[in-house]
Amino acid sequence: GQNIDQPTEMTATEGAIVQINCTYQTSGFNGLFWYQQHAGEAPTFLSYNVLDGLEEKGRFSSFLSRSKGYSYLLLKELQMKDSASYLCAVPGGATNKLIFGTGTLLAVQP
Amino acid sequence: DAGVIQSPRHEVTEMGQEVTLRCKPISGHDYLFWYRQTMMRGLELLIYFNNNVPIDDSGMPEDRFSAKMPNASFSTLKIQPSEPRDSAVYFCASRVAGAGAHNEQFFGPGTRLTVL
């Protein structure tokens, strides 16, 4: 089966860097997704990793280590608007489902 | 292009009433997913369809919940009778066929359901 673990909450300061970790267990790996969800809104796609290493996309980067079952989302130059929940998700094997973690609620403070 | 469309955006009803949530997926997408999100349980998959056929409904809580997809552009999630514990945000999502990056799902704005 699949299992995903993320910290429940994190707090960081505007302008700083924050790293949100995700560990997963899955039968058959087919990539890992990160979604951002602002309060009261739908989840929106941030990144997809299928190979080991760091994928950079502007202020956001995502890292994957398949051997360790580990990923992180790195947010640089934090802005107040980055306050949101960040969801880690993996495809559920051959089932075409996405299995979501419970999300990490990030609060960016002035 | 319009994204996933859901209606209504907000629904307040009384216990025992029937509730119908509606979803229009992105045109050309082969998969449609219904999720429920609560503070306690996070984002839970209820059911998903492939080419209008229900594939996995193992997440549907009980017989009070049912979902249909009569055609490629429309799906409904029905709760009858509704109960206060059904209060949640219900999301619909869709995606194209394929593996890997094609697993990316596009979410609608959600329906916030309150059952009194």
Side-chain angles (χ1 to χ4, degrees), chain A residues 45-79:
Chain A
F45 170 80
L46 280 180
S47 68
Y48 171 73
N49 294 67
V50 68
L51 299 177
D52 291 350
L54 189 67
E55 295 272 347
E56 297 190 63
K57 191 186 294 185
R59 294 189 300 113
F60 291 11
S61 302
S62 55
F63 172 84
L64 176 68
S65 169
R66 288 172 294 174
S67 62
K68 296 181 180 179
Y70 168 68
S71 173
Y72 67 73
L73 184 67
L74 193 70
L75 290 73
K76 304 176 185 176
E77 301 169 15
L78 279 172
Q79 302 175 9

Short mmCIF file of all heavy atoms in Angstrom, two decimals, chain A residues 45-79:
data_model
loop_
_atom_site.label_atom_id
_atom_site.label_comp_id
_atom_site.label_asym_id
_atom_site.label_seq_id
_atom_site.Cartn_x
_atom_site.Cartn_y
_atom_site.Cartn_z
N PHE A 45 -1.29 22.55 -8.83
CA PHE A 45 -0.05 21.84 -9.10
C PHE A 45 1.15 22.75 -8.94
O PHE A 45 1.16 23.88 -9.41
CB PHE A 45 -0.10 21.28 -10.53
CG PHE A 45 1.20 20.73 -11.03
CD1 PHE A 45 1.61 19.47 -10.67
CD2 PHE A 45 2.01 21.48 -11.88
CE1 PHE A 45 2.81 18.94 -11.15
CE2 PHE A 45 3.20 20.97 -12.36
CZ PHE A 45 3.60 19.70 -11.99
N LEU A 46 2.18 22.25 -8.24
CA LEU A 46 3.45 22.98 -8.11
C LEU A 46 4.58 22.29 -8.87
O LEU A 46 5.31 22.93 -9.62
CB LEU A 46 3.85 23.08 -6.63
CG LEU A 46 3.21 24.14 -5.76
CD1 LEU A 46 3.76 24.05 -4.35
CD2 LEU A 46 3.42 25.52 -6.34
N SER A 47 4.74 20.97 -8.63
CA SER A 47 5.90 20.31 -9.22
C SER A 47 5.67 18.81 -9.33
O SER A 47 4.80 18.25 -8.67
CB SER A 47 7.15 20.56 -8.37
OG SER A 47 7.02 19.92 -7.11
N TYR A 48 6.49 18.21 -10.20
CA TYR A 48 6.48 16.76 -10.39
C TYR A 48 7.91 16.29 -10.50
O TYR A 48 8.70 16.84 -11.28
CB TYR A 48 5.70 16.40 -11.66
CG TYR A 48 5.80 14.95 -12.08
CD1 TYR A 48 5.14 13.97 -11.36
CD2 TYR A 48 6.56 14.57 -13.19
CE1 TYR A 48 5.22 12.64 -11.74
CE2 TYR A 48 6.64 13.24 -13.57
CZ TYR A 48 5.97 12.27 -12.85
OH TYR A 48 6.03 10.95 -13.22
N ASN A 49 8.29 15.28 -9.71
CA ASN A 49 9.62 14.68 -9.77
C ASN A 49 9.48 13.19 -10.03
O ASN A 49 8.68 12.52 -9.37
CB ASN A 49 10.36 14.85 -8.43
CG ASN A 49 10.69 16.30 -8.11
OD1 ASN A 49 9.80 17.11 -7.86
ND2 ASN A 49 11.97 16.61 -8.10
N VAL A 50 10.27 12.69 -10.97
CA VAL A 50 10.29 11.24 -11.19
C VAL A 50 11.72 10.70 -11.10
O VAL A 50 11.92 9.53 -10.81
CB VAL A 50 9.63 10.86 -12.53
CG1 VAL A 50 10.45 11.37 -13.70
CG2 VAL A 50 9.35 9.38 -12.62
N LEU A 51 12.71 11.57 -11.32
CA LEU A 51 14.11 11.19 -11.20
C LEU A 51 14.71 11.83 -9.96
O LEU A 51 14.25 12.88 -9.49
CB LEU A 51 14.89 11.62 -12.44
CG LEU A 51 14.43 11.02 -13.77
CD1 LEU A 51 15.25 11.61 -14.91
CD2 LEU A 51 14.53 9.50 -13.75
N ASP A 52 15.77 11.21 -9.43
CA ASP A 52 16.45 11.76 -8.27
C ASP A 52 17.04 13.12 -8.58
O ASP A 52 17.51 13.37 -9.70
CB ASP A 52 17.56 10.82 -7.80
CG ASP A 52 17.03 9.53 -7.22
OD1 ASP A 52 15.81 9.44 -6.99
OD2 ASP A 52 17.84 8.61 -7.00
N GLY A 53 17.04 13.97 -7.58
CA GLY A 53 17.69 15.27 -7.73
C GLY A 53 16.75 16.42 -7.51
O GLY A 53 15.61 16.25 -7.07
N LEU A 54 17.26 17.59 -7.82
CA LEU A 54 16.55 18.83 -7.54
C LEU A 54 15.99 19.42 -8.83
O LEU A 54 16.69 19.55 -9.82
CB LEU A 54 17.53 19.82 -6.90
CG LEU A 54 16.95 21.12 -6.33
CD1 LEU A 54 16.06 20.82 -5.12
CD2 LEU A 54 18.07 22.08 -5.95
N GLU A 55 14.72 19.77 -8.79
CA GLU A 55 14.06 20.46 -9.90
C GLU A 55 13.75 21.88 -9.43
O GLU A 55 13.03 22.07 -8.46
CB GLU A 55 12.75 19.75 -10.28
CG GLU A 55 12.91 18.36 -10.82
CD GLU A 55 13.10 18.37 -12.33
OE1 GLU A 55 12.87 19.42 -12.95
OE2 GLU A 55 13.50 17.32 -12.86
N GLU A 56 14.30 22.86 -10.13
CA GLU A 56 14.11 24.24 -9.72
C GLU A 56 13.11 24.94 -10.64
O GLU A 56 13.16 24.79 -11.86
CB GLU A 56 15.45 24.99 -9.74
CG GLU A 56 16.45 24.42 -8.75
CD GLU A 56 17.68 25.28 -8.58
OE1 GLU A 56 17.55 26.42 -8.10
OE2 GLU A 56 18.78 24.81 -8.92
N LYS A 57 12.23 25.69 -10.00
CA LYS A 57 11.22 26.43 -10.75
C LYS A 57 10.99 27.74 -10.04
O LYS A 57 10.11 27.87 -9.18
CB LYS A 57 9.93 25.60 -10.82
CG LYS A 57 8.90 26.15 -11.80
CD LYS A 57 7.58 25.38 -11.72
CE LYS A 57 7.71 23.95 -12.17
NZ LYS A 57 6.39 23.25 -12.20
N GLY A 58 11.78 28.73 -10.39
CA GLY A 58 11.66 30.04 -9.75
C GLY A 58 12.03 29.98 -8.28
O GLY A 58 13.06 29.42 -7.91
N ARG A 59 11.16 30.50 -7.43
CA ARG A 59 11.44 30.48 -5.99
C ARG A 59 11.22 29.12 -5.36
O ARG A 59 11.61 28.88 -4.23
CB ARG A 59 10.56 31.52 -5.28
CG ARG A 59 10.83 32.96 -5.63
CD ARG A 59 10.07 33.91 -4.72
NE ARG A 59 8.63 33.72 -4.80
CZ ARG A 59 7.87 33.26 -3.79
NH1 ARG A 59 8.43 32.90 -2.64
NH2 ARG A 59 6.56 33.13 -3.94
N PHE A 60 10.56 28.22 -6.11
CA PHE A 60 10.23 26.91 -5.58
C PHE A 60 11.13 25.85 -6.22
O PHE A 60 11.33 25.85 -7.44
CB PHE A 60 8.77 26.56 -5.85
CG PHE A 60 7.77 27.38 -5.06
CD1 PHE A 60 8.15 28.50 -4.35
CD2 PHE A 60 6.43 27.01 -5.05
CE1 PHE A 60 7.22 29.24 -3.63
CE2 PHE A 60 5.50 27.75 -4.32
CZ PHE A 60 5.88 28.86 -3.62
N SER A 61 11.61 24.91 -5.40
CA SER A 61 12.38 23.77 -5.90
C SER A 61 11.86 22.53 -5.21
O SER A 61 11.39 22.58 -4.07
CB SER A 61 13.87 23.94 -5.57
OG SER A 61 14.40 25.13 -6.12
N SER A 62 11.96 21.40 -5.90
CA SER A 62 11.55 20.14 -5.30
C SER A 62 12.64 19.12 -5.52
O SER A 62 13.23 19.03 -6.59
CB SER A 62 10.22 19.66 -5.89
OG SER A 62 10.29 19.58 -7.30
N PHE A 63 12.88 18.35 -4.46
CA PHE A 63 13.96 17.36 -4.46
C PHE A 63 13.37 15.97 -4.26
O PHE A 63 12.38 15.80 -3.52
CB PHE A 63 14.94 17.66 -3.34
CG PHE A 63 15.98 16.59 -3.13
CD1 PHE A 63 17.13 16.56 -3.90
CD2 PHE A 63 15.80 15.60 -2.17
CE1 PHE A 63 18.09 15.57 -3.73
CE2 PHE A 63 16.74 14.60 -1.98
CZ PHE A 63 17.89 14.58 -2.76
N LEU A 64 13.99 14.98 -4.89
CA LEU A 64 13.55 13.60 -4.73
C LEU A 64 14.74 12.67 -4.53
O LEU A 64 15.74 12.79 -5.24
CB LEU A 64 12.76 13.15 -5.96
CG LEU A 64 12.31 11.70 -5.99
CD1 LEU A 64 11.25 11.45 -4.94
CD2 LEU A 64 11.79 11.31 -7.38
N SER A 65 14.57 11.73 -3.58
CA SER A 65 15.49 10.61 -3.43
C SER A 65 14.65 9.35 -3.40
O SER A 65 13.97 9.06 -2.41
CB SER A 65 16.31 10.73 -2.14
OG SER A 65 17.00 9.51 -1.89
N ARG A 66 14.67 8.61 -4.50
CA ARG A 66 13.85 7.41 -4.59
C ARG A 66 14.33 6.33 -3.64
O ARG A 66 13.53 5.59 -3.05
CB ARG A 66 13.83 6.90 -6.03
CG ARG A 66 13.03 7.77 -6.97
CD ARG A 66 13.20 7.32 -8.41
NE ARG A 66 14.57 7.52 -8.87
CZ ARG A 66 15.02 7.10 -10.05
NH1 ARG A 66 14.22 6.46 -10.88
NH2 ARG A 66 16.28 7.33 -10.40
N SER A 67 15.64 6.21 -3.46
CA SER A 67 16.18 5.15 -2.60
C SER A 67 15.77 5.38 -1.14
O SER A 67 15.61 4.42 -0.38
CB SER A 67 17.70 5.08 -2.72
OG SER A 67 18.29 6.30 -2.30
N LYS A 68 15.58 6.64 -0.76
CA LYS A 68 15.21 6.95 0.61
C LYS A 68 13.72 7.17 0.78
O LYS A 68 13.24 7.36 1.91
CB LYS A 68 15.97 8.20 1.09
CG LYS A 68 17.48 8.01 1.16
CD LYS A 68 18.17 9.27 1.68
CE LYS A 68 19.69 9.05 1.74
NZ LYS A 68 20.41 10.27 2.21
N GLY A 69 12.97 7.16 -0.30
CA GLY A 69 11.54 7.43 -0.19
C GLY A 69 11.28 8.80 0.40
O GLY A 69 10.44 8.97 1.29
N TYR A 70 11.97 9.80 -0.13
CA TYR A 70 12.01 11.11 0.50
C TYR A 70 11.96 12.20 -0.55
O TYR A 70 12.60 12.11 -1.61
CB TYR A 70 13.29 11.20 1.33
CG TYR A 70 13.65 12.57 1.84
CD1 TYR A 70 12.89 13.21 2.80
CD2 TYR A 70 14.80 13.22 1.36
CE1 TYR A 70 13.25 14.46 3.28
CE2 TYR A 70 15.16 14.47 1.82
CZ TYR A 70 14.38 15.08 2.80
OH TYR A 70 14.73 16.31 3.27
N SER A 71 11.23 13.24 -0.22
CA SER A 71 11.17 14.42 -1.08
C SER A 71 11.09 15.65 -0.19
O SER A 71 10.66 15.57 0.97
CB SER A 71 9.94 14.37 -1.99
OG SER A 71 9.78 15.57 -2.71
N TYR A 72 11.51 16.78 -0.71
CA TYR A 72 11.25 18.04 -0.03
C TYR A 72 10.92 19.12 -1.02
O TYR A 72 11.34 19.08 -2.18
CB TYR A 72 12.38 18.46 0.92
CG TYR A 72 13.70 18.83 0.28
CD1 TYR A 72 13.88 20.02 -0.41
CD2 TYR A 72 14.81 17.99 0.41
CE1 TYR A 72 15.10 20.36 -0.98
CE2 TYR A 72 16.04 18.31 -0.14
CZ TYR A 72 16.18 19.50 -0.84
OH TYR A 72 17.39 19.83 -1.40
N LEU A 73 10.18 20.08 -0.53
CA LEU A 73 9.84 21.29 -1.28
C LEU A 73 10.57 22.44 -0.61
O LEU A 73 10.48 22.62 0.60
CB LEU A 73 8.33 21.52 -1.25
CG LEU A 73 7.79 22.69 -2.06
CD1 LEU A 73 7.96 22.42 -3.55
CD2 LEU A 73 6.31 22.91 -1.73
N LEU A 74 11.34 23.18 -1.41
CA LEU A 74 12.13 24.29 -0.88
C LEU A 74 11.53 25.59 -1.41
O LEU A 74 11.41 25.77 -2.62
CB LEU A 74 13.58 24.14 -1.34
CG LEU A 74 14.62 25.02 -0.67
CD1 LEU A 74 14.82 24.57 0.78
CD2 LEU A 74 15.95 24.95 -1.41
N LEU A 75 11.18 26.46 -0.51
CA LEU A 75 10.62 27.75 -0.88
C LEU A 75 11.61 28.85 -0.46
O LEU A 75 11.95 28.96 0.72
CB LEU A 75 9.29 28.00 -0.19
CG LEU A 75 8.08 27.17 -0.62
CD1 LEU A 75 8.17 25.73 -0.15
CD2 LEU A 75 6.79 27.80 -0.13
N LYS A 76 12.06 29.63 -1.42
CA LYS A 76 13.02 30.69 -1.16
C LYS A 76 12.33 32.05 -1.17
O LYS A 76 11.25 32.21 -1.72
CB LYS A 76 14.13 30.68 -2.21
CG LYS A 76 14.87 29.37 -2.35
CD LYS A 76 15.88 29.45 -3.49
CE LYS A 76 16.56 28.11 -3.72
NZ LYS A 76 17.48 28.15 -4.90
N GLU A 77 13.01 33.02 -0.55
CA GLU A 77 12.51 34.41 -0.55
C GLU A 77 11.02 34.43 -0.22
O GLU A 77 10.21 34.95 -0.98
CB GLU A 77 12.77 35.07 -1.90
CG GLU A 77 14.24 35.10 -2.28
CD GLU A 77 14.45 35.52 -3.74
OE1 GLU A 77 13.50 36.05 -4.35
OE2 GLU A 77 15.55 35.28 -4.25
N LEU A 78 10.69 33.85 0.91
CA LEU A 78 9.29 33.67 1.27
C LEU A 78 8.52 34.98 1.23
O LEU A 78 9.00 36.03 1.66
CB LEU A 78 9.18 33.07 2.66
CG LEU A 78 9.36 31.56 2.75
CD1 LEU A 78 9.43 31.13 4.20
CD2 LEU A 78 8.26 30.83 2.00
N GLN A 79 7.29 34.87 0.74
CA GLN A 79 6.38 36.00 0.71
C GLN A 79 5.14 35.63 1.51
O GLN A 79 4.83 34.45 1.70
CB GLN A 79 6.00 36.33 -0.74
CG GLN A 79 7.20 36.65 -1.62
CD GLN A 79 6.83 36.88 -3.07
OE1 GLN A 79 5.66 36.96 -3.44
NE2 GLN A 79 7.85 36.98 -3.93
#
